[in-house]
Short mmCIF file of all heavy atoms in Angstrom, two decimals:
data_model
loop_
_atom_site.label_atom_id
_atom_site.label_comp_id
_atom_site.label_asym_id
_atom_site.label_seq_id
_atom_site.Cartn_x
_atom_site.Cartn_y
_atom_site.Cartn_z
N ALA A 325 -27.64 -19.01 -2.59
CA ALA A 325 -28.24 -19.76 -3.70
C ALA A 325 -27.25 -19.89 -4.85
O ALA A 325 -27.14 -20.94 -5.49
CB ALA A 325 -29.53 -19.07 -4.17
N ALA A 326 -26.50 -18.83 -5.11
CA ALA A 326 -25.51 -18.87 -6.19
C ALA A 326 -24.45 -19.93 -5.90
O ALA A 326 -24.05 -20.68 -6.79
CB ALA A 326 -24.86 -17.49 -6.36
N LEU A 327 -24.04 -20.01 -4.64
CA LEU A 327 -23.02 -21.00 -4.29
C LEU A 327 -23.57 -22.41 -4.44
O LEU A 327 -22.88 -23.31 -4.94
CB LEU A 327 -22.53 -20.78 -2.85
CG LEU A 327 -21.65 -19.55 -2.65
CD1 LEU A 327 -21.20 -19.45 -1.20
CD2 LEU A 327 -20.43 -19.59 -3.57
N ARG A 328 -24.83 -22.59 -4.02
CA ARG A 328 -25.43 -23.93 -4.18
C ARG A 328 -25.53 -24.30 -5.64
O ARG A 328 -25.29 -25.44 -6.03
CB ARG A 328 -26.81 -23.98 -3.52
CG ARG A 328 -26.74 -24.20 -2.00
CD ARG A 328 -28.08 -24.65 -1.46
NE ARG A 328 -29.14 -23.71 -1.79
CZ ARG A 328 -29.43 -22.62 -1.09
NH1 ARG A 328 -28.73 -22.33 -0.01
NH2 ARG A 328 -30.39 -21.81 -1.46
N ALA A 329 -25.87 -23.31 -6.47
CA ALA A 329 -26.03 -23.58 -7.90
C ALA A 329 -24.67 -23.70 -8.60
O ALA A 329 -24.58 -24.19 -9.72
CB ALA A 329 -26.84 -22.46 -8.55
N GLY A 330 -23.63 -23.19 -7.94
CA GLY A 330 -22.29 -23.28 -8.53
C GLY A 330 -22.04 -22.27 -9.64
O GLY A 330 -21.14 -22.44 -10.45
N ARG A 331 -22.84 -21.18 -9.65
CA ARG A 331 -22.57 -20.12 -10.64
C ARG A 331 -23.04 -18.77 -10.09
O ARG A 331 -23.90 -18.72 -9.21
CB ARG A 331 -23.23 -20.42 -11.98
CG ARG A 331 -24.70 -20.66 -11.90
CD ARG A 331 -25.31 -20.88 -13.30
NE ARG A 331 -26.73 -21.12 -13.13
CZ ARG A 331 -27.26 -22.31 -12.88
NH1 ARG A 331 -26.49 -23.38 -12.81
NH2 ARG A 331 -28.56 -22.45 -12.70
N PRO A 332 -22.47 -17.67 -10.60
CA PRO A 332 -22.83 -16.34 -10.10
C PRO A 332 -24.32 -16.09 -10.27
O PRO A 332 -24.96 -16.70 -11.12
CB PRO A 332 -22.01 -15.39 -10.97
CG PRO A 332 -20.94 -16.22 -11.60
CD PRO A 332 -21.47 -17.62 -11.67
N PRO A 333 -24.90 -15.17 -9.47
CA PRO A 333 -26.34 -14.92 -9.54
C PRO A 333 -26.80 -14.59 -10.96
O PRO A 333 -26.14 -13.83 -11.68
CB PRO A 333 -26.54 -13.71 -8.63
CG PRO A 333 -25.37 -13.69 -7.73
CD PRO A 333 -24.23 -14.32 -8.48
N ALA A 334 -27.94 -15.17 -11.33
CA ALA A 334 -28.48 -14.93 -12.67
C ALA A 334 -28.79 -13.45 -12.84
O ALA A 334 -29.24 -12.79 -11.91
CB ALA A 334 -29.74 -15.76 -12.85
N GLY A 335 -28.50 -12.92 -14.00
CA GLY A 335 -28.82 -11.52 -14.27
C GLY A 335 -27.78 -10.56 -13.73
O GLY A 335 -27.90 -9.35 -13.91
N GLY A 336 -26.78 -11.06 -13.02
CA GLY A 336 -25.71 -10.19 -12.54
C GLY A 336 -25.90 -9.78 -11.10
O GLY A 336 -27.02 -9.75 -10.58
N LEU A 337 -24.78 -9.44 -10.45
CA LEU A 337 -24.81 -9.06 -9.04
C LEU A 337 -25.67 -7.83 -8.80
O LEU A 337 -26.47 -7.77 -7.87
CB LEU A 337 -23.38 -8.77 -8.55
CG LEU A 337 -22.43 -9.95 -8.39
CD1 LEU A 337 -21.02 -9.45 -8.08
CD2 LEU A 337 -22.92 -10.89 -7.30
N ALA A 338 -25.50 -6.82 -9.66
CA ALA A 338 -26.20 -5.55 -9.43
C ALA A 338 -27.71 -5.74 -9.48
O ALA A 338 -28.46 -5.09 -8.74
CB ALA A 338 -25.75 -4.51 -10.44
N ALA A 339 -28.16 -6.66 -10.32
CA ALA A 339 -29.61 -6.87 -10.46
C ALA A 339 -30.21 -7.42 -9.17
O ALA A 339 -31.41 -7.27 -8.92
CB ALA A 339 -29.88 -7.83 -11.62
N GLN A 340 -29.39 -8.07 -8.35
CA GLN A 340 -29.89 -8.72 -7.14
C GLN A 340 -29.68 -7.89 -5.88
O GLN A 340 -30.11 -8.27 -4.80
CB GLN A 340 -29.16 -10.06 -6.94
CG GLN A 340 -29.21 -10.99 -8.12
CD GLN A 340 -30.62 -11.51 -8.37
OE1 GLN A 340 -31.44 -11.52 -7.45
NE2 GLN A 340 -30.91 -11.89 -9.60
N ALA A 341 -28.96 -6.78 -5.99
CA ALA A 341 -28.50 -6.07 -4.79
C ALA A 341 -29.48 -4.98 -4.38
O ALA A 341 -30.23 -4.47 -5.20
CB ALA A 341 -27.14 -5.45 -5.08
N PRO A 342 -29.47 -4.61 -3.09
CA PRO A 342 -30.27 -3.47 -2.63
C PRO A 342 -29.59 -2.16 -3.05
O PRO A 342 -28.84 -1.58 -2.29
CB PRO A 342 -30.30 -3.63 -1.11
CG PRO A 342 -29.11 -4.45 -0.77
CD PRO A 342 -28.74 -5.26 -1.98
N LEU A 343 -29.85 -1.72 -4.27
CA LEU A 343 -29.12 -0.58 -4.83
C LEU A 343 -29.68 0.76 -4.38
O LEU A 343 -28.98 1.76 -4.35
CB LEU A 343 -29.18 -0.60 -6.37
CG LEU A 343 -28.44 -1.73 -7.06
CD1 LEU A 343 -28.59 -1.59 -8.57
CD2 LEU A 343 -26.97 -1.72 -6.68
N GLU A 344 -30.95 0.75 -4.04
CA GLU A 344 -31.63 2.03 -3.83
C GLU A 344 -31.34 2.64 -2.45
O GLU A 344 -31.56 3.80 -2.22
CB GLU A 344 -33.15 1.86 -4.03
CG GLU A 344 -33.85 0.94 -3.03
CD GLU A 344 -33.47 -0.55 -3.20
OE1 GLU A 344 -32.83 -0.92 -4.21
OE2 GLU A 344 -33.80 -1.32 -2.30
N VAL A 345 -30.77 1.81 -1.52
CA VAL A 345 -30.62 2.26 -0.13
C VAL A 345 -29.35 3.09 0.03
O VAL A 345 -28.30 2.70 -0.46
CB VAL A 345 -30.51 1.05 0.82
CG1 VAL A 345 -30.74 1.48 2.25
CG2 VAL A 345 -31.45 -0.04 0.40
#
Side-chain angles (χ1 to χ4, degrees):
L327 288 181
R328 279 196 304 276
R331 55 177 179 274
L337 289 173
Q340 306 292 337
L343 292 181
E344 64 291 349
V345 196

